[in-house]
Amino acid sequence: MSGYKSPDVHERRSSAAAAKKAMLEKHRAATEDPGLAERRTKAMAVVEARKSREAERREAQEARKEELAKQAARDAELALEEKREAEKAEALIAAEKVERAAALAAEQKAARDARYAARKAAQKGRRKG
């Protein structure tokens, strides 16, 4: 049984050159394959379809963002309008309350004046008496 003999520099260089030559031949054979062009065109079609779908998605997202912004603006406008209406209602209620208070004060003053007049009339009647 013979022992292992390490390859010298010439053997290593020749085996490396043979490996490079084999890889080059394999690459040349692959590029000359008639199915390669077909596979490349299919792959390019897939890439183009993917890009178009991404563009459509981006456009849909932008449209959705615009719609949400418009909806937010409408909601803010409606909220402002509701706030104005509530303020008007509160002002109307406050005015009615002031008006009722004034009417009540006038009624109370009239009743007080009537009592005062009745008391004075009674005093006059007792003096003449």
Side-chain angles (χ1 to χ4, degrees), residues 6-50:
S6 65
D8 63 351
V9 174
H10 295 292
E11 289 178 14
R12 288 193 310 248
R13 284 180 69 188
S14 64
S15 65
K20 284 182 184 178
K21 188 175 182 180
M23 287 187 351
L24 182 62
E25 290 299 321
K26 184 177 178 183
H27 177 70
R28 283 186 183 151
T31 57
E32 293 173 1
D33 184 22
L36 179 66
E38 184 179 326
R39 288 192 303 263
R40 282 187 181 164
T41 56
K42 285 181 183 177
M44 292 301 291
V46 167
V47 168
E48 291 298 320
R50 186 176 298 138

Side-chain angles (χ1 to χ4, degrees), residues 4-112:
Y4 174 73
K5 181 180 174 190
S6 65
D8 63 351
V9 174
H10 295 292
E11 289 178 14
R12 288 193 310 248
R13 284 180 69 188
S14 64
S15 65
K20 284 182 184 178
K21 188 175 182 180
M23 287 187 351
L24 182 62
E25 290 299 321
K26 184 177 178 183
H27 177 70
R28 283 186 183 151
T31 57
E32 293 173 1
D33 184 22
L36 179 66
E38 184 179 326
R39 288 192 303 263
R40 282 187 181 164
T41 56
K42 285 181 183 177
M44 292 301 291
V46 167
V47 168
E48 291 298 320
R50 186 176 298 138
K51 285 182 182 179
S52 67
R53 285 192 308 268
E54 287 176 6
E56 288 173 3
R57 270 193 297 257
R58 269 188 254 115
E59 289 173 7
Q61 286 175 346
E62 290 297 321
R64 179 71 178 142
K65 284 181 183 177
E66 289 175 10
E67 185 63 33
L68 288 175
K70 288 179 184 177
Q71 183 66 34
R74 277 186 253 139
D75 290 345
E77 189 176 313
L78 287 175
L80 184 61
E81 187 65 30
E82 287 176 2
K83 183 179 177 184
R84 287 180 189 152
E85 289 176 9
E87 288 174 354
K88 285 180 184 178
E90 287 176 8
L92 184 61
I93 290 171
E96 288 176 358
K97 190 182 278 188
V98 167
E99 193 175 304
R100 280 189 302 225
L104 180 63
E107 282 179 27
Q108 289 173 346
K109 185 175 186 319
R112 187 174 55 243

